Amino acid sequence: MTLIKSISGIRGTIGGHVGDNLTPIDAVKFASAYGTWIKQQRDKENYKVVVGRDARISGEMIQNLVMNTLVGLGIHVIDLGLSTTPTVEVAVPMEHADGGIILTASHNPKQWNALKLLDAKGEFLNGEEGAKILKIAEGNDMSFADVDNLGKITINDAYIDLHIDEVLDMDLVNVDAIKRANFKVVVDGVNSTGGIAIPLLLERLGVHPVKLYCEPNGHFPHNPEPLKEHLTDLSEAVVKAHADFGIVVDPDVDRLAFMDENGEMFGEEYTLVACADYVLSQTPGNTVSNMSSTRALRDITEKHGGTYEASAVGEVNVVNLMKKNNAVIGGEGNGGIIYPELHYGRDALVGVALFLSLLADKKINVSDLRASYPSYFMSKKKIQLTPELDVDGLLKAMEGKYSEENITTIDGVKIDFADSWVHLRKSNTEPIIRIYTEAPSQTAADELADKIILEIKGIANI
């Protein structure tokens, strides 16, 4: 079964059977539920929703289905066409819209697509509102507009440029210093909309972009998740071009990773660390990331006199804690930068501009910048369990076993040791426990993960 319904949206593989995959009928059904939810939020004469998509092969088909479903509900649509997740997020409040839909399956392969749902602030829905939409989709209480009250579709393809304008207007983006630095940067746009947006941003900043896989045709040249093992072509291109560094984004441009001038990964976890280092040096304050992100952010935050806090995994959880603690920057260790000055959403364009400002300010190369940060290494593993096992009970037992350590239970069980940590989380869809660890060396991180796995198996008698 490859149709996954959750509070954050619906995603699945294209084709196949209704209810088991993301078929046209499933797309229409879920868009209908979202549109019905939009109309329940406020009783008004005109409703408006912003819709954009990444460059997936199925994107145009799914977008037409979604937009015309909204039209059938009497909702006006602003069609951004090829866009990015953060661009749609920025566009919703600028359009004074009632919500937004991004058609993207993020880092998933080309056969996947998804509907990601935004509220009137351009932010992802919280769990309560997402659950309401799922409930609407399960029923038949959806009323469509009559012929005189259908919505209209308005095309607006200017929003990537408008998004870039907003990024360049941020106080901490030092456009003049970046232009003086005369950077050359290789961009891997994974043949999606990052290949449009990132080079345009770089050109506006006076940076010379060397384009790699920047044709937005949806044919991903490698696994689209921006991890080291998928980026050998970028590594070779950076060295061959004698570039200052490389940039890679995922298909919807909310995740960002860098590669240094030697073709070595800067580390996806360290994207947020570097951007936070720059922001905190200019505007001291607090930071937030999720519980599975590197401890280096805490170290950098405390170095600048701020307070770091960890949220449950999930962008909406990070955002909620950022608002509560007035964090000046936050995000996720997967390369997601959330900078509230512009908006509360992961934004690779914001991350690129802040990173370039940091390099221009410090006047050092990327490898030296990475060496200046605390070094931590992560291991990410999982245990496959049998369905009859009590996963919650296993996590509770591990919590008890390490009760003398610093324990956090807002999202599974996280155990903080003096120089390392382990985070145990159960899957919501299958009997799996995910084990994330971090330590001062890769060997130590792997050994800690293996030790925890053996202990869980011992408790479960497997």
Side-chain angles (χ1 to χ4, degrees):
M1 183 172 182
T2 48
L3 183 69
I4 301 170
K5 303 171 186 177
S6 72
I7 58 173
S8 60
I10 183 172
R11 63 187 171 98
T13 51
I14 298 300
H17 296 285
V18 175
D20 286 340
N21 305 80
L22 185 55
T23 69
I25 290 173
D26 293 293
V28 168
K29 181 179 179 181
F30 204 75
S32 300
Y34 174 72
T36 300
W37 174 83
I38 286 286
K39 294 171 74 173
Q40 291 175 353
Q41 302 311 296
R42 289 175 62 193
D43 185 11
K44 54 189 285 193
E45 186 172 337
N46 292 308
Y47 297 91
K48 185 192 297 185
V49 170
V50 177
V51 181
R53 64 181 173 92
D54 70 13
R56 287 170 189 275
I57 298 166
S58 62
E60 186 175 6
M61 182 262 293
I62 296 293
Q63 183 172 2
N64 284 330
L65 288 165
V66 167
M67 291 195 305
N68 283 294
T69 299
L70 296 174
V71 165
L73 285 160
I75 296 172
H76 300 303
V77 174
I78 306 299
D79 172 12
L80 304 193
L82 288 172
S83 192
T84 77
T85 286
T87 302
V88 177
E89 292 170 348
V90 167
V92 169
M94 289 180 74
E95 285 286 336
H96 304 287
D98 299 285
I101 300 178
I102 306 132
L103 304 167
T104 174
S106 192
H107 63 273
N108 291 111
K110 68 177 183 178
Q111 64 265 34
W112 288 81
N113 214 328
L115 283 69
K116 293 186 177 181
L117 310 177
L118 304 175
D119 62 18
K121 293 181 288 187
E123 299 171 15
F124 285 112
L125 306 186
N126 60 34
E128 182 181 355
E129 300 307 318
K132 289 178 183 177
I133 293 171
L134 290 176
K135 187 173 182 179
I136 293 169
E138 291 170 358
N140 295 309
D141 191 20
M142 293 180 274
S143 179
F144 291 83
D146 61 41
V147 70
D148 293 317
N149 292 291
L150 297 174
K152 292 182 174 61
I153 297 174
T154 302
I155 296 172
N156 188 334
D157 59 5
Y159 263 101
I160 288 179
D161 288 316
L162 293 172
H163 183 185
I164 292 171
D165 288 343
E166 294 294 309
V167 171
L168 299 184
D169 283 343
M170 295 191 309
D171 290 340
L172 295 191
V173 177
N174 194 335
V175 177
D176 292 337
I178 295 169
K179 287 182 176 178
R180 287 195 299 270
N182 195 30
F183 292 115
K184 180 195 284 189
V185 178
V186 181
V187 180
D188 181 350
V190 72
N191 282 345
S192 189
T193 50
I196 302 171
I198 300 299
L200 283 174
L201 171 65
L202 295 177
E203 288 166 0
R204 294 278 299 276
L205 286 165
V207 176
H208 174 59
V210 179
K211 297 180 182 180
L212 177 69
Y213 306 134
C214 286
E215 185 66 33
N217 57 27
H219 293 283
F220 304 146
H222 54 75
N223 186 310
E225 189 165 12
L227 302 177
K228 178 180 179 179
E229 55 266 31
H230 307 149
L231 302 175
T232 54
D233 289 354
L234 177 61
S235 176
E236 292 172 2
V238 168
V239 174
K240 182 178 179 181
H242 301 287
D244 293 286
F245 62 98
I247 291 171
V248 60
V249 293
D250 65 340
D252 67 324
V253 203
D254 62 358
R255 289 176 63 176
L256 170 66
F258 299 113
M259 188 166 279
D260 73 17
E261 72 280 5
N262 302 311
E264 298 294 331
M265 289 299 292
F266 188 76
E268 196 180 25
E269 290 281 334
Y270 283 80
T271 301
L272 176 57
V273 174
C275 291
D277 184 26
Y278 177 64
V279 169
L280 293 170
S281 73
Q282 307 294 319
T283 53
N286 302 326
T287 65
V288 170
S289 66
N290 70 42
M291 293 171 63
S292 287
S293 299
T294 181
R295 188 179 278 185
L297 180 61
R298 182 201 67 180
D299 297 347
I300 291 298
T301 304
E302 292 175 351
K303 183 190 83 170
H304 288 290
T307 299
Y308 164 79
E309 292 195 53
S311 77
V313 173
E315 182 173 331
V316 68
N317 297 317
V318 175
V319 167
N320 288 339
L321 190 55
M322 288 180 68
K323 291 177 178 179
K324 180 181 177 182
N325 298 338
N326 296 310
V328 295
I329 189 169
E332 298 183 292
N334 60 10
I337 305 299
I338 302 173
Y339 188 46
E341 183 184 332
L342 184 53
H343 67 118
Y344 277 105
R346 295 182 303 173
D347 192 330
L349 280 75
V350 167
V352 167
L354 293 175
F355 189 77
L356 284 165
S357 297
L358 172 64
L359 285 180
D361 178 61
K362 286 186 175 286
K363 296 182 175 65
I364 60 174
N365 61 34
V366 173
S367 61
D368 288 339
L369 176 67
R370 176 62 181 84
S372 72
Y373 295 131
S375 266
Y376 294 103
F377 297 83
M378 297 187 77
S379 175
K380 299 181 180 182
K381 300 187 179 185
K382 62 185 178 182
I383 307 177
Q384 183 77 44
L385 305 172
T386 54
E388 63 270 14
L389 281 172
D390 179 7
V391 180
D392 289 324
L394 289 175
L395 294 180
K396 195 71 178 176
M398 292 300 292
E399 179 187 348
K401 182 176 177 65
Y402 288 97
S403 59
E404 294 184 3
E405 304 293 343
N406 184 7
I407 302 282
T408 308
T409 58
I410 60 171
D411 184 10
V413 177
K414 184 173 184 181
I415 308 164
D416 271 293
F417 303 103
D419 62 351
S420 60
W421 55 258
V422 58
H423 187 196
L424 310 174
R425 296 178 66 236
K426 70 172 184 175
S427 168
N428 292 323
T429 58
E430 51 187 330
I432 282 175
I433 294 179
R434 303 187 189 281
I435 299 102
Y436 287 13
T437 63
E438 185 175 64
S441 72
Q442 190 62 57
T443 299
D446 291 337
E447 288 177 349
L448 176 58
D450 292 339
K451 172 177 177 286
I452 295 294
I453 288 171
L454 283 175
E455 290 174 353
I456 292 173
K457 287 183 175 180
I459 293 169
N461 292 316
I462 57 174

